[in-house]
Amino acid sequence: QQPVQSPQAVILREGEDAVINCSSSKALYSVHWYRQKHGEAPVFLMILLKGGEQKGHEKISASFNEKKQQSSLYLTASQLSYSGTYFCGTEYGGATNKLIFGTGTLLAVQP
Amino acid sequence: DVKVTQSSRYLVKRTGEKVFLECVQDMDHENMFWYRQDPGLGLRLIYFSYDVKMKEKGDIPEGYSVSREKKERFSLILESASTNQTSMYLCASSSPGQRSLNTEAFFGQGTRLTVV
């Protein structure tokens, strides 16, 4: 059930852009995005709901394509503070409120 | 300041021991989760609880059980610890939303468990 994230890791220089993808084999009800800095707990970034919406958070935005069962996280003009591991969390609806997280994407932003 | 508190940051136990990991949240959240974090595998759901005394298995429940006797407390139990249960364990809590099944999930700082 665990969604698959790609790429597994990415290295950027400050100011560069990145895209992180989250793909599910099951129909998605909604998608969460979280960032975990080294040695810290994951922290919530945003939720995307059915309807193909796109949301933004500072220079970080995301899209949700229900038909493709996929979400993408866009990081523009990356900053050193964006470094960390990004996780998508997926909800499938039905009779359960489970929140299932993906395999994670390690993002390293260098000066 | 909202909080999810896990009882230990680091724990070392012997093979075969019964291990209790405790998690307490002060946000009156209905949903509580236990995840296991291993390199390259992301966050894997062990168990989930949506109400007191209610639980659901996650993707990797084998070797684990849970207890939720009070709304604020969710315990993970390793019945007989084994070396392959050496990992980082993360607890999280959230509430159901109007349009999503979970609103923002808050995580504890994690418990690094080593089984020797």
Side-chain angles (χ1 to χ4, degrees):
Chain A
Q1 282 198 21
Q2 193 175 24
V4 176
Q5 291 183 230
S6 62
Q8 286 189 319
V10 57
I11 300 173
L12 300 174
R13 296 229 176 257
E14 271 188 293
E16 290 183 336
D17 301 339
V19 180
I20 298 172
N21 298 304
C22 174
S23 295
S24 172
S25 57
K26 289 177 60 173
L28 292 172
Y29 185 85
S30 63
V31 179
H32 296 218
W33 283 99
Y34 291 75
R35 176 173 60 207
Q36 182 181 33
K37 292 184 178 289
H38 183 68
E40 298 180 9
V43 173
F44 172 80
L45 294 175
M46 65 189 78
I47 292 177
L48 297 104
L49 305 172
K50 284 175 74 169
E53 69 177 87
Q54 187 154 352
K55 295 191 72 172
H57 176 79
E58 298 174 347
K59 292 182 182 176
I60 301 174
S61 62
S63 62
F64 177 22
N65 187 323
E66 305 165 46
K67 289 182 180 177
K68 292 186 177 180
Q69 296 162 187
Q70 187 175 350
S71 177
S72 296
L73 187 71
Y74 307 95
L75 301 102
T76 56
S78 58
Q79 306 167 13
L80 294 175
S81 61
Y82 286 2
S83 292
T85 302
Y86 289 78
F87 292 101
C88 64
T90 51
E91 297 175 323
Y92 298 102
T96 181
N97 291 357
K98 288 180 192 176
L99 182 58
I100 307 291
F101 283 93
T103 46
T105 296
L106 178 62
L107 177 75
V109 181
Q110 297 178 340
Chain B
D1 207 17
V2 295
K3 264 197 175 165
V4 178
T5 304
Q6 294 183 229
S7 51
S8 306
R9 287 299 299 271
Y10 300 94
L11 214 50
V12 180
K13 295 292 181 180
R14 295 199 178 275
T15 302
E17 276 193 79
K18 191 169 186 175
V19 181
F20 293 85
L21 302 184
E22 307 285 346
C23 175
V24 178
Q25 52 97 0
D26 63 2
M27 296 163 282
D28 201 35
H29 283 167
E30 288 84 353
N31 299 334
M32 295 189 75
F33 308 82
W34 274 107
Y35 296 95
R36 174 176 168 160
Q37 184 171 16
D38 300 288
L41 299 178
L43 297 169
R44 292 182 293 167
L45 181 64
I46 305 172
Y47 265 99
F48 160 63
S49 171
Y50 53 92
D51 202 350
V52 174
K53 297 190 188 292
M54 307 305 288
K55 62 187 179 185
E56 281 185 36
K57 291 180 181 178
D59 292 337
I60 52 165
E62 296 78 19
Y64 304 94
S65 63
V66 290
S67 172
R68 193 164 179 202
E69 297 295 320
K70 293 185 177 181
K71 190 175 184 180
E72 66 270 20
R73 187 179 297 268
F74 192 34
S75 302
L76 180 69
I77 303 154
L78 286 68
E79 297 292 341
S80 177
S82 64
T83 54
N84 62 14
Q85 293 178 309
T86 291
S87 187
M88 171 67 84
Y89 290 87
L90 287 165
C91 174
S93 72
S94 74
S95 277
Q98 286 192 337
R99 292 184 61 207
S100 63
L101 303 175
N102 290 277
T103 54
E104 174 182 357
F106 293 87
F107 284 82
Q109 286 298 105
T111 296
R112 172 75 64 187
L113 173 68
T114 302
V115 183
V116 298

